[in-house]
Amino acid sequence: MTASDGLEDWAGYGFSAELVRALFHGLRVGLYVVDHTGKILLVNPYAERLLNRPARQLIGVDPHDLLHRNADGSPIPREDCQILAAFAEGVYVRSEEAWFTRGSGGLIPVGVMAAPLPLDGGKDMGSVVLFYDLSRHKAVEHKQAIALAALEKLTDRLSLMAETSSVLASTLKVDEALRRLSRLVVPRLADWAMIDLLGPSGDSVDRVAVVVKQGRSGVECKQWEGPLPAFPETSRAPMARVLRGGPAVLFGPEDVAERIDSEECSSQRRRPYEELGAHSVIVAPLRTPRRVLGALTLARYETSPAYDSADLSLIGDIASRAGLAVDNANMFEEQRRFAASTSHELRTPLAGLRTRLEEAVLYPADVDPHVTIREALTVTDRLETIVDDLLVSARLRAGGPAAYEPIDLGALAAKEVAAMASGVPVHVDADRDVNVLGNRIQLIRVIDNLLVNARRHADRRVEVTVGRVEGSAVVTVCDDGAGIAPQDRERVFERFVRLDEGRRREPGGSGLGLAISRDIAHAHNGTLTIEDSPCGARFVLRLPLTDRRP
């Protein structure tokens, strides 16, 4: 069909004026026609709407100069334009994605189809261009990209958690496990990391790992490892609050300098921050259901993205896993030592008992059976005491349920002192309403153990004070005896450890009383320590206060 064909011939192709009107006005695709010079001859109304330009701004204009752009809005060199190439060569072209400018100044993503169009009876070759809006498609594509990125991030984090569990389970040596963990999170989650562990008493800190990013891996900085000064009880430093049982904390770029307070700035704790720098920091507790064992600190430089709440949750989870791993390793080592100590403590009296019984059997004429029986009963009593104490210790360390109630520690201490048999006098100075939430039987056992121990070593007097200090209930038991050397102040809380003076004063003791007392303190989220004293020993029990009254 040619231009010279009559309308009756066009009708054979389904042509009608109504259809032309529908095609022109109702077509949901933008359309423009260019002549052989590349200028626009015709546009349809939908092109006006898509481009936010009236037809008068489009007719007679070069569409490349007016419309065609890169995705960033920059002009496209004419020699690089596929649509212009199609115009020049008179060929069909299809572009899955192009960008046109709108009258408002913005860009619209479009799909483009261009086909040659003979004009003036075939003398000149123009082109017809159809284009359609890809905005909705791009929006869906963007959502899919976001979802895919989130899925990839989740997969990466799940992989990291699996690797974390694997690394922590790879060795029962606590320091080595924590160093491996630090090398895992640097540089994947941090530019540098450090791990601090609380000592057994809960008031000393040991920095066991510091790892700094170097290239694509982490390098250990052992010069910063080692014991650190203890935090004052009144310290409000973020690390101090975390070590006391507070939640993980995040320092953003705007407050990282302010929240690492002056107490840390003036001490060895500040060195990594000063020498490495930090733009964003997370400090998370190494926590178990029973207590806090230490803290994991991760930091990023200004060149890395600042931490957010999702990172805080992830790192908190990693720190909790590390806390459980440390606790399990400590329990394994403790059980190993406990098995060896228990074997020794039970075998020694049993061996003596066996010897005495064998003598009674072999030499009946030389051995008084009544004496042998009395000695056997004495050994049996000691063995029974050890077994009972071991059962109590095992229950405490297993974290079994116990009935807790509000208890006035001052009244409890005074009552236990009043019930004691005669001996070294005990003076009590107790504030009123020093209330804690605890198990009465267990707390009585702690106080009795401390009182018995103090009277055993005192020369003339024992002092007991009960009061409130910085949000804690504090019970102090002091004697005026020889005291305990600083190097032995942690040892006496170990199972079966008895110093020479203690063995001399009470040969039949089990060596478990102080170990059980500390376990009870930990079970109540408290501490039991030995502190400096002008003379004698000074035992200090700290427990959280409660607003509830007995």
Side-chain angles (χ1 to χ4, degrees):
M1 184 174 66
T2 66
S4 60
D5 293 333
L7 291 181
E8 64 277 5
D9 294 324
W10 289 23
Y13 290 92
F15 177 86
S16 69
E18 187 64 31
L19 180 58
V20 170
R21 187 178 299 107
L23 282 172
F24 188 74
H25 290 283
L27 187 65
R28 307 292 290 180
V29 174
L31 177 148
Y32 66 81
V33 175
V34 298
D35 62 17
H36 67 283
T37 66
K39 301 295 192 294
I40 296 177
L41 294 175
L42 173 146
V43 297
N44 71 341
Y46 196 73
E48 287 184 305
R49 291 196 292 273
L50 280 183
L51 298 175
N52 193 25
R53 297 175 185 273
R56 66 177 179 274
Q57 291 183 2
L58 297 169
I59 301 298
V61 174
D62 185 320
H64 175 83
D65 294 340
L66 180 67
L67 303 177
H68 302 178
R69 296 292 185 272
N70 288 309
D72 61 0
S74 61
I76 300 176
R78 299 184 71 86
E79 61 271 17
D80 295 337
C81 180
Q82 291 182 330
I83 301 175
L84 280 182
F87 292 169
E89 297 173 12
V91 297
Y92 167 86
V93 68
R94 177 178 178 180
S95 175
E96 296 292 343
E97 179 179 303
W99 294 87
F100 285 178
T101 59
R102 306 187 76 218
S104 57
L107 293 174
I108 181 173
V110 293
V112 179
M113 294 178 290
L117 180 65
L119 299 173
D120 293 336
K123 295 178 182 178
D124 297 319
M125 183 61 69
S127 294
V128 59
V129 177
L130 298 175
F131 58 97
Y132 50 94
D133 188 0
L134 292 178
S135 297
R136 184 175 298 179
H137 172 76
K138 296 295 289 186
V140 172
E141 194 177 72
H142 181 65
K143 290 181 180 179
Q144 290 175 338
I146 292 175
L148 181 60
L151 181 60
E152 289 176 348
K153 188 173 183 180
L154 177 61
T155 301
D156 184 60
R157 294 195 170 195
L158 290 174
S159 173
L160 178 61
M161 296 309 298
E163 291 182 59
T164 297
S165 299
S166 177
V167 163
L168 292 172
S170 63
T171 177
L172 288 172
K173 296 180 179 179
V174 170
D175 290 4
E176 178 58 26
L178 294 178
R179 288 192 184 97
R180 292 179 185 180
L181 174 62
S182 299
R183 292 195 298 268
L184 176 64
V185 297
V186 175
R188 289 177 68 172
L189 286 178
D191 293 316
W192 59 266
M194 62 186 182
I195 299 180
D196 298 334
L197 287 183
L198 284 169
S201 64
D203 58 358
S204 61
V205 179
D206 188 26
R207 182 156 289 162
V208 298
V210 180
V211 173
V212 179
K213 182 175 75 170
Q214 191 172 89
R216 296 185 178 181
S217 61
V219 176
E220 295 178 16
C221 297
K222 294 186 179 293
Q223 70 271 22
W224 290 331
E225 297 179 7
L228 298 174
F231 282 106
E233 290 184 16
T234 57
S235 173
R236 301 300 298 165
M239 176 70 78
R241 295 200 298 272
V242 167
L243 292 176
R244 291 192 196 112
V249 292
L250 187 159
F251 312 140
E254 66 284 351
D255 59 6
V256 64
E258 296 177 5
R259 296 185 67 183
I260 304 297
D261 69 6
S262 57
E263 290 174 7
E264 291 180 329
C265 289
S266 60
S267 74
Q268 180 182 347
R269 300 177 183 280
R270 182 65 184 171
R271 283 186 60 199
Y273 295 95
E274 291 177 340
E275 298 190 25
L276 297 173
H279 185 64
S280 182
V281 177
I282 287 177
V283 182
L286 273 61
R287 190 192 303 275
T288 74
R290 296 182 298 149
R291 58 195 178 108
V292 173
L293 299 175
L296 167 66
T297 301
L298 299 187
R300 286 177 175 172
Y301 302 140
E302 193 168 357
T303 53
S304 300
Y307 288 118
D308 57 22
S309 58
D311 295 316
L312 183 67
S313 175
L314 174 66
I315 292 167
D317 194 3
I318 290 174
S320 295
R321 289 173 186 246
L324 291 173
V326 170
D327 197 38
N328 289 337
N330 287 339
M331 289 176 62
F332 176 83
E333 180 61 23
E334 186 178 313
Q335 288 169 358
R336 187 191 64 78
R337 293 196 305 266
F338 172 66
S341 300
T342 302
S343 174
H344 173 75
E345 292 294 325
L346 294 178
R347 286 172 65 89
T348 299
L350 284 173
L353 177 59
R354 183 181 184 86
T355 299
R356 297 295 293 161
L357 292 175
E358 287 177 346
E359 288 178 350
V361 171
L362 293 173
Y363 310 105
D366 300 328
V367 176
D368 185 343
H370 294 287
V371 173
T372 300
I373 291 172
R374 283 196 296 273
E375 290 177 347
L377 287 173
T378 299
V379 174
T380 302
D381 287 342
R382 180 162 187 259
L383 291 173
E384 187 175 26
T385 299
I386 292 174
V387 171
D388 287 344
D389 285 347
L390 287 174
L391 287 173
V392 171
S393 179
R395 291 192 191 102
L396 287 168
R397 299 198 175 204
Y404 280 30
E405 60 180 300
I407 297 171
D408 185 331
L409 274 185
L412 186 67
K415 183 177 180 181
E416 292 307 303
V417 169
M420 296 185 75
S422 61
V424 176
V426 179
H427 175 72
V428 181
D429 181 10
D431 293 342
R432 294 183 178 181
D433 295 326
V434 183
N435 300 322
V436 300
L437 197 63
N439 180 272
R440 183 173 295 274
I441 299 301
Q442 292 180 4
L443 293 180
I444 287 174
R445 182 159 193 151
V446 173
I447 292 174
D448 285 351
N449 281 344
L450 295 179
L451 290 172
V452 169
N453 184 74
R455 294 182 81 186
R456 181 187 305 136
H457 294 278
D459 290 336
R460 291 184 298 273
R461 185 179 176 87
V462 172
E463 298 280 349
V464 178
T465 61
V466 182
R468 302 175 192 82
V469 178
E470 293 295 327
S472 295
V474 179
V475 180
T476 303
V477 180
C478 300
D479 64 67
D480 60 354
I484 301 174
Q487 64 270 22
D488 293 326
R489 290 179 184 176
E490 279 304 309
R491 287 187 61 235
V492 297
F493 291 107
E494 297 177 10
R495 290 165 166 172
F496 299 119
V497 170
R498 304 182 69 215
L499 304 181
D500 292 340
E501 179 68 10
R503 291 184 183 276
R504 184 181 67 80
R505 291 177 180 262
E506 189 185 18
S510 69
L512 290 168
L514 290 177
I516 290 174
S517 297
R518 175 169 275 184
D519 286 344
I520 291 173
H522 287 167
H524 287 73
N525 296 317
T527 60
L528 177 60
T529 58
I530 301 174
E531 298 184 356
D532 292 336
S533 177
C535 69
R538 183 172 185 261
F539 285 80
V540 181
L541 171 68
R542 288 183 173 82
L543 299 174
L545 286 166
T546 182
D547 294 332
R548 296 172 58 184
R549 292 176 175 271

